[in-house]
Amino acid sequence: MELKDSIEQRRSIRKFTMEEIDLNDLKEMVRRAGLAPSINNQQTWKFIVIKNRDLLNTMAKAVSKNIAEIPSHNSEISKIIKSQVSFYATFFKDAPAVIALIMHPYESYLEKGTKYSHEEINRLRSYPDMQSAGAAIQNILLSAVDLGYGACWINSPLTAREELEKILNIDPAYHLVSFVAVGKAAENASPSNKRPLEDIIEIFE
Ligand SMILES: Cc1cc2nc3c(=O)[nH]c(=O)nc-3n(C[C@H](O)[C@H](O)[C@H](O)COP(=O)(O)O)c2cc1C
């Protein structure tokens, strides 16, 4: 598929058929994620491919429990918000596969030889490791479309980050950054409303 078509056809897909995903396709998505640019080419990422249904259910239960326990007003509106958030944070349990992106912190050259701390450099440079993660995730999303699948970037389960890191047995040097749910689309997601070019561009000629 042409890159332009993958970009234009990509939508967040949240309903999937239970058709198995060929492991080779998942490996290809991760291979392409690994080709993304990263700060100083440090590639501090790893990708965990999860197809195991028991594991996905355990993860979703931990997320639901965590959301239920977030302190909130005992009002109708807070119940509605929690139930909506819960859906967006747990629908991955019904996806044929989920790819988790984990990262360890990058090392900036500046923090070694200057007054800047890691946190200051990170803030000044607008979190280059998260920018790198975004590039990798976008490669997964576009590759999913290219290979005939639908996908959704999912970050809200990370309110239960500690629990999820335990469940996935993640090396303590790493932290969870995001998930991508992938599968054959069972919905025709309509194009989401995108701001027009004139609205998002500024040109200095
Ligand atoms: C950083 C990030 C985190 C996101 N987290 C979630 C999420 O937790 N659950 C979800 O259903 N969608 C999530 N999304 C998908 C957005 O809701 C979606 O991209 C947006 O509504 C635009 O729709 P589109 O992807 O179809 O263009 C996330 C997207 C991004 C970039």
Side-chain angles (χ1 to χ4, degrees):
M1 185 183 276
E2 291 281 327
L3 175 62
K4 178 175 176 287
D5 294 332
S6 300
I7 292 172
E8 288 183 350
Q9 287 173 28
R10 186 210 61 79
R11 320 242 176 285
S12 288
I13 296 298
R14 300 184 178 87
K15 283 197 185 118
F16 303 96
T17 69
M18 282 319 290
E19 194 178 319
E20 275 271 316
I21 302 193
D22 188 335
L23 192 56
N24 287 328
D25 285 345
L26 289 162
K27 285 185 181 169
E28 177 60 8
M29 289 174 211
V30 172
R31 188 188 74 80
R32 294 185 197 179
L35 299 179
S38 64
I39 178 74
N40 297 340
N41 198 26
Q42 284 185 13
Q43 306 168 56
T44 61
W45 46 50
K46 274 193 181 173
F47 302 87
I48 305 173
V49 174
I50 312 157
K51 292 179 81 186
N52 183 293
R53 302 244 62 81
D54 289 342
L55 192 51
L56 289 173
N57 278 319
T58 305
M59 289 164 61
K61 269 189 198 146
V63 173
S64 297
K65 182 169 178 288
N66 175 279
I67 292 172
E69 287 170 358
I70 297 173
S72 56
H73 328 286
N74 198 13
S75 63
E76 260 325 289
I77 186 80
S78 94
K79 276 185 207 150
I80 293 168
I81 290 171
K82 275 193 175 183
S83 117
Q84 277 174 353
V85 170
S86 205
F87 167 76
Y88 287 103
T90 60
F91 74 87
F92 67 81
K93 71 180 181 349
D94 298 318
V98 170
I99 302 173
L101 189 161
I102 63 172
M103 268 187 149
H104 65 78
Y106 81 104
E107 266 187 33
S108 148
Y109 296 131
L110 271 180
E111 76 190 66
K112 286 185 194 156
T114 72
K115 69 183 177 72
Y116 286 124
S117 67
H118 180 76
E119 287 67 32
E120 276 172 307
I121 294 284
N122 227 359
R123 186 182 56 78
L124 286 168
R125 295 185 69 175
S126 290
Y127 307 95
D129 44 359
M130 289 305 105
Q131 295 186 37
S132 310
I137 292 171
Q138 182 72 341
N139 277 10
I140 296 179
L141 298 178
L142 294 179
S143 300
V145 177
D146 179 44
L147 297 169
Y149 299 99
C152 187
W153 188 331
I154 313 176
N155 180 269
S156 49
L158 266 78
T159 53
R161 188 166 118 185
E162 279 181 23
E163 296 92 316
L164 292 170
E165 287 175 347
K166 272 190 209 135
I167 292 168
L168 291 171
N169 203 18
I170 289 173
D171 176 340
Y174 284 76
H175 58 274
L176 259 174
V177 174
S178 250
F179 296 100
V180 179
V182 196
K184 291 275 179 196
E187 63 175 345
N188 253 337
S190 47
S192 46
N193 194 15
K194 301 294 179 188
R195 291 161 61 196
L197 178 63
E198 319 76 76
D199 218 19
I200 59 171
I201 196 170
E202 187 174 335
I203 302 173
F204 292 99
E205 263 184 320

